[in-house]
Structures are given as C-alpha cells and as structure tokens.
Amino acid sequence: MSNNTLTITDNRTGRQYEIPVENDTIRAMDLRQIKVADDDFGLMTYDPAFMNTASCKSTITYIDGDLGVLEYRGYPIEQLAERSSYLEVAYLLLHGELPNEQQLADWKRHITYHTFINENIKKVLDGFHYNAHPMGMFEAMVAALSTFYPEAKNIEDEACRRKQIHRLIAKVPTIAAFAYRHRVGVQYAYPDNDLSYEGNFLNMMFKTTELKYEPDPVLERALSVLFILHADHEQNCSTNAMRSIGSAHTDPYSALAGASAALYGPLHGGANEAVLRMLNEIGSIDHVPEYVKRVKAGEFRLMGFGHRVYKNYDPRARIIKQIAYEVFEVTGKDPLLDLALELERIALEDEYFVKRKLYPNVDFYSGIIYRAMRFPVDMFPVLFAIPRTSGWLAQWVELLNDADQKIARPRQIYLGHRTRDYVPMEKRGEGKDVGADPEQVAQDSRGQASA
Ligand code: ACO
C-alpha cells in the first residue's frame, strides 16, 4: 500500500477505502464512492465558506498565514514593494515571470494605449445621482464595458483575451477617476499618457487648472506600493467570485464587475472605508479603551483587524505602516494615525485579540494613507479594485487554462420539506407579513415610497 493515501473506515458499513493524497489534499470526488447502499448519492464534504477546501491549483500567489508570508510567483512581497512598480507586478502576475526591459516597455505601451474610455461611457455615468457611491458606479461601468467590446466573449481566443486584459488594466483608473469627478461634480480630466500609470491616475483625480499635472514623486511611489500590495491575494472572496463567474465562460468585463461587487463588502475590500468610519466614530485616544471593551463584548468588530488566512501579522500591513510616514512627510500627519496606533497597541496587548490571533490587516493603515493623499473615504474600495484587477485577470486566465476546471457548482445538504401537496389559500391559516418593516409600510401608505 502506498504511503500517500488515506484509509477511511466507514463505521456505518465496516467497509474500508483507500483515498490518494496529493499535495496534502484528497479529492472530494474520491469520497463519492463511500456509500451505504448502491443507490446512495455517496459521501460529500460540508464546508461553508470554503474553510478547508482548495477550489483550484494555482501558481500565482503563495501565502503562509502562520508565518505572515506573501509571495507573487515566488517573489516576496517585501522585495516587490521595495524594488518593483505596479505595472511590472501586474505583468509578473499575468505572465509568471518578471519582464525584461523590452517586455516591460511593450507592456507599458499596450496599457497606455488603452487608457481612454469610449465617450458613451460618460453617458452611463451621467445617469447616476450626484451622490452615488463611486464603487457602485465603478461596478456598473466595468460591466458596461462588455457591451462596448462584444468580441470579449471569445474567451478561448488568446489574442482577444490579451486585448481585454490590456483594456481592463488601462481603463479601471480612468473609470475610477471619472466616477470620483462625477461624484464631486467637476469636469472629467482625460488620461495623460506621458505620465506613469499611478501618476496619470493622480492626474485624472486631482488635475484642476494647470496645463500639465505634475504628480508628487513620493505620492506616486506610495500609490505604486499600495497597488503592488493589493494586486493579488490568492483565493479571497472577490477572486473566488471572478473565478466562479468566469467558470461560466462569461466575458471578463462582466466577471470583473462581479468580483468588484464582492470586493465592495465591508468584510472584504470595503474594510478600509469601514476603518476610517470607525476611527472617526472613536474620535479621540481617550475613547479607545471603551471602544475595545465594546468590541470584546461582541457589539461590533474592530475593522481592519483579523484575517481568514493571516494568523500572525499581515505582511502588507507592516509595509503600509512604513509608507504612511513617508506620505505624511509630504501631506502632513493625519491625526487619525495616532488614534490607529493606540488602537493597535491596546488590541495587540489584549488577551481577546491575542487568543484569536487578530492582527491589523492591509486595510488598517491603507485608509489613513489614502485620506492623507486627499482621496475621499468612499473611493477606498475603488482604490483596492484598480490594482486587484491584474490579480483577478491572472486568476481568470489560470482558470481558463486549467483542464481540471468546469463550471463552478457547489452541492448542498437539503434539509427542507420533501414532496408535499399544494395548499389552497383558504386552508393556509393566519400569518403576519414577515417581510415588511412597519415604518416602511407606514411611509409607503403615506405615498412617500422612494422612487
Ligand atoms: N474584531 C473583533 N473580533 C473579531 C474580529 C474583529 N475584527 N475578527 C474576528 N473576530 C473574532 C470573532 O468574533 C470570533 O470570535 P469567537 O471565536 O469568540 O466567536 C473569532 O475572532 C474568529 O472570527 P471569524 O469570524 O471566525 O474569523 P474569519 O476568519 O471568518 O473572519 C474576517 C475573517 C472576516 C476578516 C474577520 O476577521 C473580520 O470581520 N474582520 C473585520 C473586517 C476586516 O477588516 N476585513 C478585511 C479583511 S482583509 C481584506 O479583505 C483585504
């Protein structure tokens, strides 16, 4: 008998099964042979939230959550943050290797070529309220791109795929900046293709009357590092959404809009926005102990703390903390930094957080830096989505090239009623309106329902 197997005894039948173990993993489908009777469906695993299920084999991003290690294609995040640029990292994620000089120049040229968006996209934007959340606009515009590039559905065609990748990486900063400008009601600033990827984004965000926007090199570099840190993070919630939608052979714009929607949630990419709101709510250092007490009592979570995978320290948080000081040299110090540092100090000493291995994650400090750079709080999830676009696309390409993959379709354990006869209305008895909020019902009846 090979050592690389798992022997399972089914105590219901006394039968034994030998299941192959590969990469410290068993294939869930190998359990299907375990049955009590021949017409049984076979054994399944129950794993809500994928706590212990690998959904794919990947060669893109490596994380060791216990040791606080993050690597893209084998390169430690610390080295990439120090020596690389966002576009180079995007190339690395998508192609597997760092580009040589010519490859990097070509890559930058392809991306720069596609920074403009179709003028009609602006009409989509015009339909939004002045106070629409930029992430909602971002999602909608990325989805709308699929209608501008219908050929994108040819996902089997490698050249076509590559073109959509260039377009998406190039256009997401433009879409993000236009959504911001729509929000504040100022005219759009068009891409300046003489500038770097990050510098151009700052230009489209903040250019006013100057003839040529000149980004501050410290802020440009800080943005590049923040983008590198956010570029990929293996099978997180939004990447899983990208893969799941992509597995239906949906075009990459629609899949990426879905991934952005997942990122928007406060438990994921919306956390940096939530951190800022939390710090503002705490208000002053004196209130930190009371706030922590309420977190421990289970009233709410400390946003920017904890991670499904990192149970040591999020290595990205360490790099970001350093950058914060460099940015503050230019912008002046944000008073919320002291508050955040005190919150971190108290939490890291507290048994509640230590026992649960809760440490600051990437979002704990990124919001403070973005605020110092004059990005409004509701742009934070969008700032996450811009660099994560390259990671989502790398994962999407990997999915499409993986012969093991099929349309994602989990199983369920059905615990509801089985076949029963339809009950006529008059026999259904009394019941109250379970869905309605009494306040809303009263408002609707006064004719004040929102449009
Ligand atoms: N504050 C207080 N307690 C927490 C926190 C927190 N931020 N996070 C987890 N806990 C507690 C839970 O209450 C639970 O305690 P219990 O065992 O007494 O019930 C325990 O720690 C384990 O929590 P889980 O929810 O099981 O951890 P999980 O791995 O599912 O959640 C998550 C990870 C969602 C990130 C969680 O830590 C969280 O909600 N953090 C705040 C939101 C946040 O910062 N999200 C950004 C994540 S990074 C990213 O997406 C880029």
Side-chain angles (χ1 to χ4, degrees):
M1 194 189 289
S2 149
N3 275 339
N4 279 336
T5 60
L6 181 75
T7 303
I8 298 177
T9 306
D10 185 349
N11 293 322
R12 300 171 301 173
T13 58
R15 265 187 237 140
Q16 274 205 345
Y17 301 84
E18 198 184 335
I19 309 277
V21 176
E22 195 192 338
N23 303 314
D24 294 330
T25 310
I26 59 162
R27 280 182 179 260
M29 280 303 285
D30 284 343
L31 300 177
R32 209 44 108 56
Q33 58 183 304
I34 304 177
K35 299 178 175 189
V36 173
D38 282 348
D39 58 352
D40 261 8
F41 184 73
L43 205 64
M44 294 194 302
T45 56
Y46 175 56
D47 190 12
F50 301 117
M51 297 290 285
N52 196 35
T53 294
S55 64
C56 61
K57 293 176 181 164
S58 183
T59 60
I60 302 172
T61 292
Y62 174 78
I63 299 176
D64 185 325
D66 291 328
L67 296 178
V69 170
L70 169 61
E71 294 170 0
Y72 296 157
R73 302 284 189 185
Y75 292 103
I77 194 69
E78 292 79 4
Q79 290 185 29
L80 293 171
E82 197 186 324
R83 304 174 62 179
S84 189
S85 67
Y86 168 67
L87 274 192
E88 188 181 59
V89 165
Y91 182 98
L92 172 69
L93 288 169
L94 278 146
H95 299 85
E97 296 297 338
L98 286 168
N100 63 27
E101 217 174 327
Q102 187 58 51
Q103 287 167 325
L104 184 60
D106 290 343
W107 173 244
K108 284 185 177 168
R109 186 167 40 77
H110 287 309
I111 303 292
T112 308
Y113 183 79
H114 289 288
T115 48
F116 279 70
I117 52 176
N118 188 298
E119 285 292 298
N120 283 330
I121 288 265
K122 291 196 319 203
K123 293 188 195 146
V124 177
L125 254 186
D126 287 343
F128 285 100
H129 268 313
Y130 73 92
N131 59 355
H133 196 291
M135 192 62 172
M137 293 191 264
F138 180 87
E139 286 166 33
M141 280 190 288
V142 170
L145 284 182
S146 76
T147 67
F148 288 84
Y149 306 112
E151 75 274 17
K153 61 176 173 297
N154 298 324
I155 51 124
E156 313 282 358
D157 177 340
E158 215 185 310
C160 176
R161 218 152 69 186
R162 213 172 312 126
K163 189 157 191 184
Q164 314 319 318
I165 289 171
H166 295 153
R167 280 180 173 148
L168 267 162
I169 294 178
K171 289 182 199 310
V172 284
T174 315
I175 286 176
F178 278 30
Y180 163 73
R181 287 200 175 240
H182 176 79
R183 173 94 164 80
V184 291
V186 293
Q187 72 181 41
Y188 305 120
Y190 280 74
D192 179 343
N193 286 346
D194 292 340
L195 297 174
S196 69
Y197 187 83
E198 299 80 1
N200 173 46
F201 178 53
L202 291 171
N203 157 67
M204 292 187 291
M205 285 288 299
F206 301 123
K207 182 172 191 266
T208 51
T209 54
E210 63 272 51
L211 287 178
K212 176 99 181 153
Y213 181 85
E214 286 178 17
D216 184 296
V218 174
L219 303 188
E220 197 178 357
R221 176 70 198 143
L223 199 55
S224 189
V225 175
L226 284 159
F227 281 3
I228 290 171
L229 300 181
H230 285 89
D232 194 50
H233 213 231
E234 52 122 302
Q235 305 313 311
N236 55 84
C237 178
S238 56
T239 301
N240 184 54
M242 181 83 192
R243 280 181 173 262
S244 188
I245 300 170
S247 76
H249 288 184
T250 308
D251 71 84
Y253 301 101
S254 306
L256 209 129
S260 311
L263 187 72
Y264 193 7
L267 295 188
H268 189 15
N272 51 13
E273 185 176 349
V275 169
L276 252 266
R277 295 197 200 288
M278 173 186 78
L279 292 175
N280 279 321
E281 192 189 320
I282 298 174
S284 90
I285 290 185
D286 311 343
H287 300 151
V288 170
E290 174 60 23
Y291 196 84
V292 171
K293 212 161 122 192
R294 292 175 65 193
V295 169
K296 285 161 60 178
E299 278 188 50
F300 36 72
R301 290 190 166 198
L302 201 54
M303 298 316 286
F305 259 69
H307 199 276
R308 170 62 59 78
V309 178
Y310 294 119
K311 300 298 175 194
N312 172 317
Y313 199 94
D314 183 338
R316 301 169 299 176
R318 195 173 281 129
I319 300 168
I320 282 192
K321 205 167 157 184
Q322 272 170 14
I323 298 205
Y325 291 102
E326 289 164 27
V327 169
F328 294 151
E329 287 280 309
V330 176
T331 61
K333 195 167 139 206
D334 188 322
L336 288 186
L337 179 69
D338 288 334
L339 193 55
L341 287 169
E342 179 64 1
L343 194 57
E344 181 185 359
R345 188 188 67 76
I346 292 193
L348 291 183
E349 282 174 359
D350 195 294
E351 206 215 321
Y352 174 96
F353 296 91
V354 174
K355 207 172 98 198
R356 290 170 179 76
K357 299 187 173 171
L358 299 170
Y359 297 90
N361 59 46
V362 66
D363 285 328
F364 192 66
Y365 287 105
S366 63
I368 303 174
I369 304 178
Y370 284 142
R371 194 170 92 135
M373 292 169 83
R374 293 201 295 127
F375 288 106
V377 173
D378 55 13
M379 276 297 283
F380 294 178
V382 180
L383 290 163
F384 196 153
I386 293 171
R388 184 54 63 88
T389 293
S390 58
W392 286 328
L393 290 168
Q395 300 273 351
W396 172 71
V397 171
E398 190 175 64
L399 164 99
L400 296 177
N401 289 332
D402 182 348
D404 276 356
Q405 293 292 341
K406 288 169 179 279
I407 187 166
R409 206 314 185 173
R411 294 278 173 185
Q412 63 166 7
I413 303 170
Y414 179 71
L415 298 175
H417 290 288
R418 284 308 317 277
T419 322
R420 50 181 182 159
D421 286 329
Y422 182 79
V423 182
M425 188 63 78
E426 62 278 11
K427 292 205 174 146
R428 292 185 206 167
E430 292 289 312
K432 58 179 180 170
D433 183 355
V434 287
D437 163 13
E439 183 63 30
Q440 189 65 49
V441 171
Q443 208 181 69
D444 288 353
S445 66
R446 290 195 299 269
Q448 293 171 357
S450 54

